[in-house]
Amino acid sequence: MTVLSEQPSRLAPAALEAYWMPFTANRQFKQKPRMFVRAEGMYYTTDDGRQILDGFAGLWCCNAGHGRKPIVEAIQKQAATMDYSPAFQMGHPAAFELANAIVELAPHSLDHVFFCNSGSEAVDTALKIALAYQRARGEGGRTRLIGRERGYHGVGFGGIAVGGISANRKMYGALMAGVDHLPHTHNLEKNAFSKGQPEWGAHLADELERLVTLHDPSTIAAVIVEPMAGSTGVLIPPKGYLQRLREITSKHGILLIFDEVITAFGRVGTSFASDFFGVEPDMITFAKGVTSGSVPMGGVLVSNAIYQQFMGGPAGAIELFHGYTYSAHPLACAAGLATLKLYKDEGLFERAAKLAPKFEAAVHSLKGTKHVIDVRNIGLVAGIELAARPNAVGARGFETYLACWDRGVLVRNTGDIIALAPALIVEEAQIDRIVSTLKEVLGGLA
Ligand SMILES: Cc1ncc(COP(=O)(O)O)c(C=O)c1O
């Protein structure tokens, strides 16, 4: 089969067929592909040689920007030194070093790390640890898991069960038994154009009390939420909401899991969103930013109390029957160590915090732009919600994404919500360009 057409970096149409692309309109894409061939700093290069300003850190992950030399060199060096080390009953130093480095950044009580390879695996791992923990402490009746409407926790069976996006759930049968959901916190009537955390909505956490009464605390193992719900279209937690969830879960012996796959590693201007919001959960899932997207990696931070609960059996016993061939893969660990060092050396989390007011002012200047019905933001994340076109929900959002692409700017749409999450190295002029491109595109859109 011919793979390359005359232009060396462009694939012939037939060569696009075999790859079944994830979360993609395959037939539409293959008619008119959008291909990246290089990435450096804040820019991608397309296969037709255009520069695309990355307003989305790849896919919420390249927080240090693209192709950063220290990360690239660390990966190259590790690949040449030791490609792989068995994950079970053996170790390699970088795995332990990276766990220590992550714990150093984490909220005080979270001091152990379980490694995996993605956000989805991190979520399924955290849910399994929650169930096993409750059983290990003699509360084996606590088998229920509680997520939230509109939550995104990846695509494993556990993640879609506790997740609350119906398109991700409806095709996959009964999912997991014993899962319930909190209401989401989105309300445009009350909170449209809030800057940072909205004032209204803390009481929505009290719905957890209702679920606890309905099911009885003795049946509930854990609650999992994204502190800032990203993939559903950037929903910022109302003031006091996460604190209330913490109070209720603690009161009833229920574990609280924060899914920080997007928010960890500087996205909101702190190491973890837990620091930003001042709420310490029992577990944190992370992925994406830990290697700045350079090598797949995920993990779960767990509290000392949870870890110690597993350490009481016979000394030679395996404490948790769970793990992945590629848990703490040497390349991912090398990338992670170099990434965390780069964040520190360049003060990138502080930089994000310092830039946040400028970013906020820029995105809120979209208020009044045609079709815009809400702008919301926290740290270096924003959601710009557009009015849906009658009978064509999502069309306006997708057209906005395509028109920005044509103008050399990468944004992401979830339905009719445009999400922005630039790398933490973004310059002020680049923020202005992203926002002015959106203004221009929306102004011209039907
Ligand atoms: C909060 C959250 N959890 C889990 C995931 C799944 O991560 P992955 O795609 O690496 O499996 C994502 C991905 O965007 C996410 O945003």
Side-chain angles (χ1 to χ4, degrees), residues 10 17 106 143 181 183 188 191 204 232 242 258 297-298 352 387 400 404 411 441-442:
R10 302 207 84 180
E17 204 38 47
T143 56
H181 291 78
L188 283 185
N191 289 333
L204 295 169
T232 188
L242 295 172
F258 277 178
M297 174 170 245
T400 303
C404 287
V411 302
V441 163
L442 290 170

Side-chain angles (χ1 to χ4, degrees), residues 130-425:
L131 295 171
Y133 164 79
Q134 297 290 13
R135 189 180 148 116
R137 75 182 183 110
E139 295 265 348
R142 289 182 181 264
T143 56
R144 274 183 198 285
L145 300 166
I146 295 183
R148 189 168 56 187
E149 294 166 355
R150 297 191 63 162
Y152 184 69
H153 300 292
V155 294
F157 267 101
I160 58 171
V162 293
I165 297 179
S166 58
N168 295 347
R169 296 160 49 87
K170 69 181 181 194
M171 303 296 278
Y172 307 113
L175 308 178
M176 280 171 65
V179 171
D180 214 332
H181 291 78
L182 289 162
H184 65 74
T185 63
H186 193 36
N187 186 317
L188 283 185
E189 265 175 42
K190 301 285 185 189
N191 289 333
F193 298 101
S194 292
K195 294 181 174 170
Q197 289 190 267
E199 297 292 334
W200 178 93
H203 66 282
L204 295 169
D206 293 338
E207 283 294 306
L208 182 55
E209 285 284 17
R210 190 181 60 78
L211 293 179
V212 167
T213 305
L214 174 68
H215 298 299
D216 196 76
S218 66
T219 70
I220 304 175
V223 169
I224 181 167
V225 292
E226 303 156 88
M228 183 278 304
S231 296
T232 188
V234 184
L235 305 182
I236 318 288
K239 284 181 185 161
Y241 173 89
L242 295 172
Q243 282 79 358
R244 194 80 193 97
L245 278 189
R246 177 69 281 184
E247 285 161 22
I248 299 169
T249 47
S250 296
K251 185 168 85 178
H252 295 295
I254 299 167
L255 295 176
L256 180 61
I257 306 167
F258 277 178
D259 185 349
E260 294 223 31
V261 164
I262 284 176
T263 51
F265 305 109
R267 179 51 54 202
V268 297
T270 48
S271 306
F272 292 88
S274 319
D275 305 319
F276 185 92
F277 296 119
V279 177
E280 227 168 277
D282 302 295
M283 283 189 254
I284 288 178
T285 52
F286 64 86
K288 298 187 187 268
V290 67
T291 60
S292 193
S294 61
V295 180
M297 174 170 245
V300 185
L301 267 157
V302 305
S303 68
N304 190 46
I306 292 176
Y307 180 78
Q308 294 307 339
Q309 185 64 55
F310 287 91
M311 299 300 136
I318 290 172
E319 296 95 354
L320 186 68
F321 279 82
H322 179 68
Y324 302 91
T325 300
Y326 300 123
S327 281
H329 191 283
L331 263 58
C333 291
L337 283 166
T339 300
L340 298 192
K341 183 170 183 312
L342 189 59
Y343 289 148
K344 190 172 175 190
D345 290 350
E346 296 188 352
L348 289 183
F349 302 168
E350 297 76 13
R351 187 175 193 282
K354 227 168 127 197
L355 256 184
K358 153 77 196 176
F359 183 73
E360 176 175 274
V363 293
H364 278 272
S365 75
L366 288 163
K367 187 176 182 180
T369 302
K370 199 171 156 192
H371 306 309
V372 172
I373 57 171
D374 188 26
V375 176
R376 37 192 190 259
N377 69 288
I378 199 119
L380 290 187
V381 187
I384 297 128
E385 186 156 348
L386 311 178
R389 200 174 282 151
N391 303 321
V393 173
R396 197 170 266 148
F398 191 64
E399 286 169 27
T400 303
Y401 151 73
L402 288 180
C404 287
W405 162 269
D406 287 340
R407 286 165 177 74
V409 172
L410 179 67
V411 302
R412 180 159 169 79
N413 77 297
T414 302
D416 288 303
I417 300 164
I418 305 299
L420 303 179
L424 316 182
I425 60 165

